[in-house]
Each structure stands twice: as C-alpha cells, then as structure tokens.
Amino acid sequence: MASQTHPNPPLAMSGIELLTSATPNGQKISIFLEELGIPYKTTPINLGADEQKSASFLSKNPNGRIPAIVDHSRNDFAVFESGAILLYLVEHYDKEKRFSFDDADETSEMIQWLFFQNTGIGPMQGQANHFHRYAPTKIQYGIDRYQNECRRLYSVLESRLSDRDFLAGKAPGKYSIADISTFTWVRWAAWAGIDLSKFPKLESWMQGVEERGAVQRGLLVPDGEDQIVRLRRDPDVEDPFKGWVMKGQDELKGKHGN
C-alpha cells in the first residue's frame, strides 16, 4: 500500500517522490499512485510561497508548475507535466495493465482521451476559472467564451459516456488513467461556474469515480484536506487559490509584459 501518513516516512533514495499541491493536476498523480498501491513520498509545494519557482523545483520542472515526480528507483529520473507523469507511471509501474491496456487500439483510445483532457478541458476550464473567479475586472465576453467552451467539452464527454462506463477501451470501457485525469477537473466544474447537473451521465460517472477508496485517499494529498468539500458546503467560500493566482499574474506582467 502507498504511504498515507503525513509527513511521509523517508525513502532511502528509492521509490517515487511526488512534488505537488492540492490542485486538479496534482490530484491526478496522487490518485494514480494510490491506485497503483506503490510506496511514494509526498513533498508539498507551497504555491503561495512560490516554492514551484525555486531552483530546487525548477531542476525537476523547468516550467515551474506542479506536479513533478522524481523516481529514485530509476537514477532519480524526473518527470513533469501531469499527462507525461501518468504515462511514465503506466510504463514502469502498471505492468499488469490494471489501469491501462495491452491492446494497441485501446491504448490509443486511452491516450486520445488523456490528451483531450490535457489540451482541452484543463486549459479551457482554467481560463473559465480565471475570468469567473479571479479577473480584477469583470469581462463578460471572457466568462462566456470559456464557460461555453467548457460546456461544449463536457457535452463531448456526456456523449461518450452515454452508453459506457469509462472513457477508453472496448464497451463498456475500463477505468484507466484517462478517467483519472479527467475526473479531477470535472469535479471542480462548479468552481468555473459550470452546472454539472446539466450533464447527468458525466455527473454519474464522476460520482462513481469519486467513491473509489484510492481516489478518496489521493484527494487528501498533500495536506490532508479535500478543498472541494468546503466549496460544496458554501459556493461562496473564500478562494484558496486567488492570492497566488493574482500574484503570478503580477509577476508575469513584470517579467514578460510590454
């Protein structure tokens, strides 16, 4: 079983080290590590303190974004980008194909849906979050543009799940990294102003994934709190991300603005 206590017990330069925070992209990896049941160490990254921009972190991910992993069992090999991390873990730690596929066509399907999330849902929902929650000036065009694109992408998922249980594999499909990657963003739909009840198949799928024990454990990494619980109690809860998001915007303007 994967380590659940925090702080995690030290690893003697072996196993996976996960550098992460409690965001959808970070939760993908902690959930998958829990599903795999392999030992791993969590190194929390304080986004508000800009730890993701430290020299130590940038040596693992030059883009300065969480998550990243270091595989101390494979010569301290570092991997960044959540989709790339999931594929790396499949290649080296899912030899029994419990969360992936032997068949080449099914593998291709899995990768297609994984990329659909990484290049579509994540970026578009992130922009919807920004204009809906963070923009200092309300720009209705931006809100509508990205919320509507999120709804369009969700409609694609709704159609895909209309007659199957999971995104990839021969019908009814098999739970895979494509589902894990998509799940962590879909459960935050309300944060972007998206009513998930308008997509009943997708909502049911999300609820089913959320009930898995490994998923519940992974959602508590790295600090023992699943922040969405507070959002579900109070949609107007104090934003846990706004401070570092806006700080990042100011830094971008200072370094890269005209």
Side-chain angles (χ1 to χ4, degrees), residues 62-80:
N63 194 37
R65 300 290 186 271
I66 64 97
I69 66 167
V70 179
D71 190 344
H72 295 297
S73 296
R74 300 190 66 255
N75 299 313
D76 297 336
F77 189 77
V79 189
F80 67 93

